[in-house]
Amino acid sequence: MVRPLNIAFIHPDLGIGGAERLVVDAAISLQKRGHRVVIYTMHHDLSHCFAETRDGTLDVRVGGNWLVPRSIGGRFHILCTILRSLMLARQIVNDSEQYDALFVDQLSAPIPLLKYTHAHIFFYCHFPDYLLARRDSLGQKLYRAPFDLLEEFTTGEADEIVVNSRFTQETFRKAFPHLSKIPKVLSPALNFEAYDRPVDSGDPLLRALLTEKRIVLSINRFERKKDIGLALQAFALCLQRNSATGNGAKRAAINNCCLVVAGGWDPRVSENTQYLKELDAQAKQLGLCTRTISPQRASKEALALLPDGAVGAPTILDDDDDIPTDQLASIDVLFLPSFTENQRAFLLSAARCIVYTPTNEHLGIVPLEAMYMRVPVVAADSGGPRETIQHGQTGYLCEPAEDDFAAAISKLLTMDDNKWRVMGDAGHDRVKLAFSLDTFGAKLEHLIVDMLQRPTHASVVLGVIATLFIIFVVALTLLLTWWR
């Protein structure tokens, strides 16, 4: 029997991405096992977060964001994020509560300062940031160099390091050759209760999604590394090939479909706003008719950042007979930025297939969600999806090329319904067996308890040295930036 532990989670931005879903599920799983859980974050927008973080299920505390901005003139994001994380760490150190363990993820920079809490530090690495940053010029390489060194050094200060897949484990070893630790693998899980809840059919926000068409669904944050453009290209090619060679029932099945591109969209993040506009322009260049639904409760400033012609979803139900029942009859591609959880549930329940385009994705929560909801997945044959999707049984793994993706999408759209249901059931059974929250919670608890049996990895003295190193890195970065 494990004694109740006091555990704090430290996560930079508590939005609606895959990393946030993992943190929320991990916190809930430990809470259900009798531990006291608190989540610290630098940003928590109640209109752009998971329900468990705003309905009282989890104790969320915001800090570290009152002095340093997210960026300076749209630049220096990593520098500002590190400084904000140090301010949040200082708040935690000064907190009167004593924690047994700190669950840190995404950003390792505050770990040395967090040593002053005398708690054991558990670091969950989704993917080395070192490999995500762009270095297209000498200036960018100089700018990133101290941060890359800082990431490796501070990551090594954790008492336990865990990654989300075998792919990330191998990538971690190559990215941080000076670290002797081999991280353990703890794959994310799904909170099945959240997906078993029935869709609220009375939600007026669903009206904009009502259609008689078959839905091809893409769920990803609006970031270029997610390669959502591949979904557009493959979908357009699918329609083009069908017009040229399709016949009978198969032609009708493909012609009568719509691509819905949904995902996290934050008006504060320039890449999100720019990329959505780029995708809308790309779809139109491919000859596809598009529509963008604006996020609920979006500010005037946020609405101005959406593609031209974006429309709002209805906020009340109306029995007006003039409103068409098929909202997507003339639409090929629907963009749905910052969709609600009920919209997500509706789309997963209605989709014919999920198109998951990132290459070398760390793991990918979306394929797990889709398979649990009995929706076959088409994904790039690389990274984490190789560990979750069973090719030909729960979906298809393809080369990241429009030809391959288009062929797989066409196959699922025209597949016999009984065979399609068999594939969906296989995905559901696989996720239920291998990715349950109960199993994840038990493994996480075991890893934390095992960590607590060992002395902390570094002394406070090393924490002081590491903190001074961080200050030196920041100063060096500013100097290099000024010099450039």
Side-chain angles (χ1 to χ4, degrees):
M1 184 68 180
V2 178
R3 69 175 177 85
L5 300 173
N6 206 14
I7 302 172
F9 285 71
I10 297 102
H11 184 78
D13 190 332
L14 210 53
I16 58 172
E20 289 73 42
R21 185 70 258 174
L22 179 139
V23 168
V24 169
D25 289 341
I28 290 174
S29 67
L30 290 175
Q31 194 165 266
K32 285 183 175 180
R33 302 182 77 84
H35 305 293
R36 185 177 181 279
V37 172
V38 175
I39 298 181
Y40 288 91
T41 183
M42 295 180 285
H43 181 76
H44 185 220
D45 182 348
L46 295 181
S47 66
H48 185 74
C49 64
F50 291 112
E52 297 93 334
T53 68
R54 64 170 180 265
D55 64 8
T57 301
L58 294 169
D59 181 0
V60 177
R61 303 177 187 180
V62 180
N65 59 0
W66 62 273
L67 180 61
V68 181
R70 286 175 53 86
S71 64
I72 301 173
R75 304 170 65 190
F76 313 118
H77 290 88
I78 184 62
L79 172 62
C80 292
T81 300
I82 287 176
L83 292 176
R84 285 158 66 96
S85 74
L86 293 178
M87 292 180 64
L88 180 62
R90 180 178 177 275
Q91 176 182 324
I92 298 169
V93 170
N94 292 335
D95 197 324
S96 59
E97 295 187 56
Q98 295 295 313
Y99 297 104
D100 297 294
L102 303 179
F103 183 111
V104 182
D105 80 307
Q106 283 197 329
L107 196 63
S108 62
I111 288 178
L113 187 56
L114 291 171
K115 287 289 181 179
Y116 286 100
T117 64
H118 302 290
H120 285 69
I121 296 179
F122 184 101
F123 184 65
Y124 194 98
C125 177
H126 301 277
F127 203 72
D129 185 67
Y130 159 71
L131 298 176
L132 299 175
R134 298 180 61 180
R135 298 172 180 77
D136 298 332
S137 65
L138 177 60
Q140 287 179 328
K141 291 178 181 178
L142 290 174
Y143 173 71
R144 282 295 313 191
F147 296 113
D148 297 339
L149 183 61
L150 175 65
E151 182 183 11
E152 181 169 8
F153 177 79
T154 54
T155 297
E157 291 300 293
D159 297 294
E160 184 69 273
I161 304 174
V162 175
V163 294
N164 54 16
S165 66
R166 293 189 298 275
F167 169 73
T168 304
Q169 182 186 53
E170 184 60 29
T171 303
F172 181 98
R173 295 174 65 180
K174 293 178 180 177
F176 302 134
H178 301 107
L179 295 184
S180 59
K181 288 183 180 179
I182 299 177
K184 299 180 175 69
V185 176
L186 178 63
S187 296
L190 295 187
N191 181 3
F192 298 151
E193 293 178 3
Y195 298 90
D196 291 336
R197 297 187 192 117
V199 175
D200 179 7
S201 58
D203 181 0
L205 295 177
L206 297 185
R207 170 166 284 177
L209 307 178
L210 297 179
T211 183
E212 296 176 2
K213 292 184 173 183
R214 288 185 167 181
I215 294 176
V216 177
L217 180 61
S218 167
I219 299 179
N220 267 307
R221 290 191 306 278
F222 286 93
E223 297 176 354
R224 294 182 181 90
K225 67 183 180 183
K226 299 300 184 180
D227 198 14
I228 302 171
L230 175 58
L232 297 175
Q233 294 168 342
F235 184 74
L237 183 59
C238 188
L239 296 179
Q240 179 184 342
R241 285 178 173 172
N242 186 59
S243 298
T245 62
N247 57 76
K250 288 188 176 182
R251 170 179 284 188
I254 294 178
N255 282 342
N256 191 37
C257 65
C258 176
L259 173 63
V260 178
V261 179
W265 180 87
D266 190 336
R268 301 170 304 142
V269 180
S270 59
E271 183 183 16
N272 287 180
T273 60
Q274 294 168 6
Y275 191 44
L276 175 54
K277 289 182 178 180
E278 291 171 11
L279 291 171
D280 181 66
Q282 180 183 1
K284 290 174 179 175
Q285 289 175 353
L286 291 168
L288 302 172
C289 183
T290 71
R291 176 183 294 164
T292 301
I293 303 295
S294 60
Q296 186 184 22
R297 295 189 296 272
S299 66
K300 290 183 179 180
E301 293 77 9
L303 293 175
L305 297 172
L306 291 169
D308 293 338
V311 298
T315 55
I316 59 172
L317 289 174
D318 192 339
D319 295 328
D320 190 342
D321 292 335
D322 293 333
I323 298 177
T325 56
D326 191 338
Q327 295 288 310
L328 306 180
S330 61
I331 301 300
D332 298 313
V333 180
L334 178 71
F335 292 106
L336 193 63
S338 294
F339 59 155
T340 67
E341 290 184 57
N342 196 50
Q343 287 175 322
R344 184 191 197 100
F346 173 80
L347 289 170
L348 285 170
S349 68
R352 182 72 178 183
C353 70
I354 291 283
V355 180
Y356 195 66
T357 50
T359 300
N360 289 328
E361 183 69 2
H362 330 148
L363 182 84
I365 285 290
V366 171
L368 297 181
E369 293 176 323
M371 288 190 292
Y372 184 75
M373 295 298 290
R374 294 182 166 87
V375 183
V377 185
V378 178
D381 186 14
S382 64
R386 284 180 173 175
E387 301 173 33
T388 56
I389 299 168
Q390 294 175 312
H391 181 69
Q393 299 179 47
T394 67
Y396 296 106
L397 294 170
C398 309
E399 289 300 314
E402 58 185 274
D403 286 350
D404 294 68
F405 267 73
I409 293 170
S410 297
K411 188 179 295 186
L412 288 171
L413 287 173
T414 59
M415 182 179 288
D416 174 77
D417 285 346
N418 289 329
K419 186 176 180 181
W420 177 82
R421 278 190 287 270
V422 168
M423 183 172 279
D425 289 341
H428 177 82
D429 294 341
R430 171 161 172 72
V431 173
K432 199 167 184 179
L433 178 66
F435 299 96
S436 74
L437 192 60
D438 287 341
T439 301
F440 173 86
K443 291 179 179 178
L444 176 59
E445 182 184 64
H446 174 76
L447 287 169
I448 291 176
V449 170
D450 182 64
M451 174 184 70
L452 294 176
Q453 306 306 311
R454 307 190 299 267
T456 54
H457 174 68
S459 67
V460 174
V461 173
L462 288 179
V464 172
I465 295 173
T467 303
L468 292 175
F469 179 77
I470 292 174
I471 295 173
F472 167 75
V473 166
V474 170
L476 180 60
T477 301
L478 290 172
L479 180 64
L480 288 173
T481 302
W482 174 82
W483 175 75
R484 187 177 53 157

